[in-house]
Amino acid sequence: MTVTGTPPRAGDRGATRGAVTVTPSRIAAAELLAALRGGTLLDTAFERVTGSLDPRDRRWVQELVYGVLRRRAWHDTILTARITGGLARLDADLADLLRLGSHQLLCMGSVPAYAAIGQTVELAKRRHGVGASKLVNAVLRRLDRERELPAVRTVEGAAASLGPEYDAIDRLAVRTSHPRWLLERWLRRWSRADVEALCAYDNTEAPVVIRPFGITTDALRDALAERDVHATTAPLADDMLVLPPGVQLTQLGAFQRGQCWVQDPGSAMVVRYGALAAGAQVADLCAAPGGKTLALLEAGCQVLAGDRSDARLDRLRANLARVGRDDVVVEVLDATDPGLVNLDAVLVDVPCTGTGTLRRHPDARWRLRASDVAILPITQREILEGAATTVRPGGLVLYSTCALETEENDDVVAAFLVAHPDFVLEAPPEGTVPDEVLDALTPSPGHPAEGGVRGTVLRVLPQRHDVDGAFAARLRRRA
């Protein structure tokens, strides 16, 4: 039973010291990690698995699971040192249960040790049997006893505890909980200080940033203040607002009335950089879930929104309905062969590795593989080729990603320009976006277009601009 006079904590309602009843929150956390192992994206899995929980418990599950993902390499290091044969020898589900237990025990001060250990042991017993539960019990109790050791207490201590067979990048991978292959890529491009700053950004909780729809920023700020929600101005975009931590967005009247929507400033820079004229006929070919479609509407464009998945388009339709716009044509279409012609402009926010948004999607760093950086540009080039067929002479193709990798950004654009001399890379009008996010197109060393193609692109870097990463290029078809 719950100790007399002590209210149950979020996530611990149902936990007991005696006969253990596993809380719905911990069951959900285990199921959520299982869904990620099965290939489901974190956002999708979270909505499906936690839908029946109350808001406090949903928030607790988010804190636990997102925390585990952001500190997974550290958890793996300290757990491996306390398991004969290491963590890798265990069933993947059992390893995830140990990570959940470790995070509750060492990182969530609101969770008492008896609950962190007892609940995880019971979960292991239910999912894997008595033998597995005994292993979990022994490992977590040892962690509890040794929690003040430097090799357990800090990521720096865990990294320092690695043996001589591990090099400096391995230790950085433990300290930052990023895969080694990704760190190696970034260290070839940026200084170590830059890479460490990027990883530190990725390991912070992403704020909720909103932008007004149909009202002014000041009016939105005042509406929030009436509910005692005091928002601050977002980086790069003084018309966007950062909500304080813990605010339930869906409970805000301004959100319910369709007077705002969620968008990171990095993503917002893409449509601003595009500088599309009011009244322009524009297709958003990779539109779901609809953030850039809404930005195009705010810019006064006439929009056709398409995506290859009707299920993904349902989210876009819901967003349009919430803000009261029924003037957008929404279609299922193939962006590589959209079947559209004579448009003023087309936006292609192509599928990408998303390495600029790892703060919001901490599962992605463990899901991605180095091969993705080689494979995805094939699709990206096909989509850009399809987009080029849709615009009239003098029309604009706006190519964008939320990736930081040159192969997905500069290389795709440079190769397109070489193959299409009827297009030119065009800078935006002066003052369209802050100068600090404009950069020169820089293909990879050895790229066939290296030195032969020049122009200005949008390049938003999390470690320098304190928002999610974004890349965009304005490709103007010659009249």
Side-chain angles (χ1 to χ4, degrees), residues 92-381:
D93 185 73
L94 187 59
D96 272 341
L97 295 183
L98 280 166
R99 292 174 180 124
L100 290 172
S102 174
H103 196 77
Q104 292 171 68
L105 191 62
L106 303 176
C107 303
M108 299 178 71
S110 64
V111 180
Y114 78 84
I117 297 171
Q119 291 274 298
T120 309
V121 168
E122 183 63 21
L123 264 177
K125 183 188 296 183
R126 295 184 182 189
R127 296 171 76 95
H128 300 281
V130 174
S133 71
K134 289 180 178 179
L135 170 67
V136 169
N137 185 60
V139 171
L140 293 184
R141 287 190 181 281
R142 183 178 172 187
L143 269 185
D144 190 27
R145 292 193 305 269
E146 299 175 353
R147 64 167 68 211
E148 294 306 317
L149 294 178
V152 173
R153 189 173 67 250
T154 65
V155 291
E156 291 82 3
S161 71
L162 295 175
E165 68 272 24
Y166 295 94
D167 65 13
I169 299 179
D170 290 322
R171 298 175 200 281
L172 182 63
V174 171
R175 286 181 49 233
T176 64
S177 272
H178 281 67
R180 179 189 171 101
W181 71 267
L182 191 54
L183 294 176
E184 287 177 331
R185 290 183 55 82
W186 290 348
L187 287 167
R188 288 194 295 267
R189 181 175 173 192
W190 296 306
S191 70
R192 186 182 178 93
D194 240 2
V195 172
E196 291 196 8
L198 174 55
C199 293
Y201 174 92
D202 290 345
N203 287 336
T204 59
E205 184 174 352
V208 177
V209 184
I210 58 175
R211 58 184 301 185
F213 192 86
I215 62 172
T216 66
T217 302
D218 286 342
L220 177 58
R221 194 193 302 270
D222 291 343
L224 294 174
E226 289 175 2
R227 295 288 300 272
D228 203 28
V229 175
H230 302 287
T232 56
T233 301
L236 293 182
D238 57 12
D239 62 338
M240 300 178 70
L241 300 175
V242 181
L243 296 182
V247 172
Q248 295 295 319
L249 174 69
T250 56
Q251 302 303 309
L252 296 178
F255 183 82
Q256 296 169 347
R257 293 190 296 270
Q259 295 175 326
C260 63
W261 86 94
V262 176
Q263 189 175 43
D264 186 86
S267 178
M269 289 299 105
V270 171
V271 172
R272 296 185 186 190
Y273 165 84
L276 303 175
Q281 294 183 324
V282 184
D284 183 357
L285 296 186
C286 304
K292 292 182 175 65
T293 296
L294 292 177
L296 291 169
L297 290 174
E298 275 288 88
C301 299
Q302 302 175 45
V303 185
L304 181 152
D307 205 283
R308 64 181 179 180
S309 165
D310 195 50
R312 284 171 53 81
L313 285 174
D314 282 343
R315 292 183 62 191
L316 184 148
R317 294 184 183 103
N319 279 327
L320 291 172
R322 187 178 58 77
V323 300
R325 294 296 293 262
D326 59 2
D327 55 342
V328 177
V329 178
V330 180
E331 292 184 2
V332 176
L333 53 76
D334 179 357
T336 65
D337 185 19
L340 305 170
V341 293
N342 291 325
L343 293 171
D344 296 317
V346 60
L347 166 63
V348 280
D349 185 27
V350 297
C352 66
T353 57
T355 49
T357 61
L358 297 185
R359 177 170 72 163
R360 295 187 185 277
H361 307 290
D363 58 317
R365 71 185 76 176
W366 309 118
R367 184 180 70 249
L368 292 172
R369 298 291 178 265
S371 58
D372 293 331
V373 183
I375 294 171
L376 278 166
I378 298 172
T379 300
Q380 292 159 355
R381 288 193 294 269

